[in-house]
């Protein structure tokens, strides 16, 4: 609110808001008082009302009857697909981890493997683990801090 | 415009299409309940949420894309994004502004993706409640409706959104402000500017 006296330059938008019943009491009183003495603004109000009469006679077409079925089908397919991807990812990750563990254990246990190769394997394993933990932590942190990152305002 | 000039008689507190306060509060309560159900693992909560909002989401997408097909695609994509993002929704906040931003992004992306279907006219005339014939004949209605739609589409996006939400979604200024995340005064000035522009263009015979 910018005051109780109507100013043409500053408060022009109040005329629309007045017609829509969106002003507070003070603003509304200011517009009423102004309309009582300003023929140009009264004419503007009539023009706006005429325009609103046309707009009130128009509406957006309703969604077609088959729209709900299409939305429902797409969402249910996506839900099933997501469950499939989750199972596939979990299964593949477990299988890979088990295979990797067997391979690393065999290499580390083999008597012919040089010590520096064993050290390199251990370093790679520890490094991979650190990267994984770091990435998971970052993701969890981003999830907590930026919940609306998917939404562009 | 050929509609008869109405006398100005003060603010219109019950404009057609306005959202009833009590119903809006009830809707917010239902939204909160269904979101909690969904987050607790009950898919029926999500379905109820979609059932409650899909028509409105379609209307928003239709207003922004101008095409029924694009609006359908955008609505579907929007609800898929809602489904994915809902676990991150801040419970207790109103759902519609959040949904609006998702639908808006999907619709604007869809509009960029799909340049077909131009020339559709997604507006229709509402019959008078009192049963009296409209002052315009069918041809005039089609012509005027087409011009209104064309001029709405020519508005800058920021004004077009406010016009669509106010006239065709029946939102109040503060609800529009929440949906667009802008101050109330900005809603007021954008809507007024859009009105003047539309009115001037329509009364001047659709100047290009």
């Amino acid at each position: 609110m910018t005051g109780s006296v109507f100013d043409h330059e500053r408060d022009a938008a109040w005329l629309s808001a007045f017609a829509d019943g969106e002003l507070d009491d003070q603003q509304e009183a200011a517009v009423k008082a102004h309309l009582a003495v300003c023929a140009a603004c009264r004419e503007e109000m009539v023009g706006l009302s005429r325009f609103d009469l046309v707009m009130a006679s128009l509406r957006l077409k309703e969604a077609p009857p088959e729209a709900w079925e299409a939305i429902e089908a797409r969402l249910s397919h996506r839900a099933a697909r997501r469950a499939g991807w989750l199972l596939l990812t979990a299964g593949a990750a477990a299988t890979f981890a088990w295979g990797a563990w067997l391979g690393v254990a065999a290499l580390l246990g083999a008597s012919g493997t040089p010590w520096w190769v064993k050290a390199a394997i251990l370093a790679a394993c520890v490094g991979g683990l650190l990267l994984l933990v770091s990435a998971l932590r970052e993701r969890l942190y981003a999830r907590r801090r930026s919940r609306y990152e998917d939404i562009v305002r | 415009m050929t509609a008869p000039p109405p006398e100005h008689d003060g603010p219109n507190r019950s404009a057609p299409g306005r959202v009833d306060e009590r119903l809006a509060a009830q809707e917010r309560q239902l939204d909160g309940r269904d979101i909690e159900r969904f987050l607790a693992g009950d898919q029926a909560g999500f379905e109820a949420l979609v059932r409650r909002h899909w028509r409105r989401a379609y209307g928003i997408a239709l207003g922004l894309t101008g095409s029924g097909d694009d609006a359908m695609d955008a609505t579907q994509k929007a609800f898929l994004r809602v489904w994915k993002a809902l676990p991150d929704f801040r419970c207790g906040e109103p759902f519609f502004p959040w949904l609006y931003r998702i639908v808006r992004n999907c619709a604007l992306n869809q509009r960029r993706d799909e340049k077909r279907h131009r020339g559709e006219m997604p507006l229709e005339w509402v019959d008078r409640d009192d049963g009296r014939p409209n002052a315009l004949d069918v041809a005039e209605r089609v012509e005027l409706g087409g011009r209104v739609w064309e001029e709405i589409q020519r508005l800058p996006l920021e004004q077009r959104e406010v016009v669509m939400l106010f006239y065709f979604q029946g939102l109040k200024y503060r609800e529009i402000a929440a949906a667009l995340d802008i101050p109330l005064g900005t809603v007021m000035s954008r809507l007024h500017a859009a009105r003047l522009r539309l009115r001037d263009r329509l009364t001047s015979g659709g100047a290009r």
Side-chain angles (χ1 to χ4, degrees):
Chain A
M1 199 168 88
T2 48
S4 57
V5 179
F6 186 89
D7 179 288
H8 275 121
E9 292 250 329
R10 187 190 61 193
D11 303 325
W14 285 13
L15 294 179
S16 280
F18 176 70
D20 299 333
E22 292 273 2
L23 291 179
D24 62 34
D25 292 344
Q26 201 179 356
Q27 291 168 324
E28 196 175 301
V31 173
K32 276 182 180 167
H34 178 73
L35 286 174
V37 296
C38 181
C41 283
R42 281 201 302 274
E43 197 178 327
E44 181 91 331
M45 288 297 294
V46 171
L48 289 173
S49 301
R50 187 189 287 138
F51 170 72
D52 268 11
L53 203 65
V54 173
M55 293 300 281
S57 305
L58 289 164
R59 69 175 174 206
L60 280 172
K61 286 177 183 167
E62 288 279 314
E66 66 275 13
W68 169 247
E69 282 80 12
I71 290 172
E72 197 179 28
R74 191 156 171 185
L75 289 173
S76 61
H77 290 161
R78 180 54 67 102
R81 207 175 299 162
R82 189 181 169 94
W85 275 112
L86 275 174
L87 285 172
L88 180 68
T89 308
T95 308
F96 176 78
W98 175 244
W101 168 249
L102 287 181
V104 168
L107 276 172
L108 291 177
S111 55
T113 309
W115 67 268
W116 58 270
V117 173
K118 290 181 181 179
I121 291 169
L122 269 177
C125 289
V126 172
L129 202 61
L130 285 174
L131 284 174
L132 184 67
V133 170
S134 167
L136 284 174
R137 281 185 62 185
E138 189 177 273
R139 197 174 171 96
L140 284 173
Y141 178 79
R143 207 178 162 92
R144 278 200 302 268
R145 297 285 299 187
S146 177
R147 294 176 156 183
Y148 294 89
E149 63 185 354
D150 199 29
I151 299 162
V152 181
R153 292 194 178 194
Chain B
M1 286 188 296
T2 51
E7 285 298 315
H8 169 67
D9 57 357
N12 179 6
R13 302 222 181 265
S14 56
R18 299 297 92 196
V19 174
D20 182 88
E21 290 279 347
R22 196 170 44 83
L23 288 178
Q26 197 178 16
E27 185 181 271
R28 278 196 294 275
Q29 202 175 4
L30 289 172
D31 287 345
R33 188 199 64 188
D34 289 331
I35 289 168
E36 281 175 13
R37 278 170 67 196
F38 173 70
L39 295 179
D42 182 359
Q43 284 294 323
F46 181 70
E47 194 183 313
L49 205 60
V50 179
R51 277 186 184 276
R52 193 174 311 117
H53 289 283
W54 76 273
R55 285 179 195 281
R56 190 183 249 187
Y58 175 85
I60 292 163
L62 184 59
L64 291 170
T65 61
S67 148
D69 288 347
D70 288 353
M72 266 306 297
D73 281 349
T75 306
Q76 291 177 16
K77 285 177 186 168
F79 279 114
L80 287 173
R81 288 179 72 174
V82 168
W83 190 69
K84 274 198 235 173
L86 208 49
D88 297 331
F89 179 77
R90 293 187 184 99
C91 285
E93 290 199 358
F95 176 69
F96 177 71
W98 188 76
L99 172 68
Y100 176 79
R101 288 190 280 272
I102 293 179
V103 175
R104 174 189 188 273
N105 286 343
C106 290
L108 293 178
N109 284 336
Q110 190 71 25
R111 194 179 158 100
R112 277 193 287 272
D113 291 347
E114 307 276 349
K115 295 291 183 195
R116 61 203 166 102
H117 306 306
R118 293 290 159 259
E120 276 187 43
M121 216 301 267
L123 296 181
E124 61 187 3
W125 288 88
V126 184
D127 289 327
R128 295 175 63 109
D129 291 340
D130 57 12
R132 284 191 295 163
N134 197 289
L136 303 171
D137 66 27
V138 174
E140 284 175 322
R141 280 175 162 213
V142 170
E143 198 263 335
L144 180 55
R147 275 174 53 206
V148 170
W149 180 248
E150 196 180 320
E151 294 305 339
I152 289 174
Q153 293 299 298
R154 286 171 181 274
L155 291 173
L157 176 62
E158 57 186 27
Q159 290 180 13
R160 184 158 30 109
E161 278 187 292
V162 175
V163 165
M164 298 306 300
L165 289 174
F166 181 75
Y167 285 111
F168 302 122
Q169 297 298 325
L171 297 194
K172 291 178 182 300
Y173 284 17
R174 59 180 167 71
E175 291 169 321
I176 297 173
L180 298 179
D181 198 19
I182 55 176
L184 198 64
T186 308
V187 174
M188 208 182 280
S189 55
R190 282 184 189 176
L191 185 59
H192 184 64
R195 260 180 175 142
L196 294 184
R197 188 166 170 162
L198 288 171
R199 187 201 60 185
D200 291 347
R201 283 186 161 271
L202 290 168
T203 48
S204 66
R208 297 287 178 270

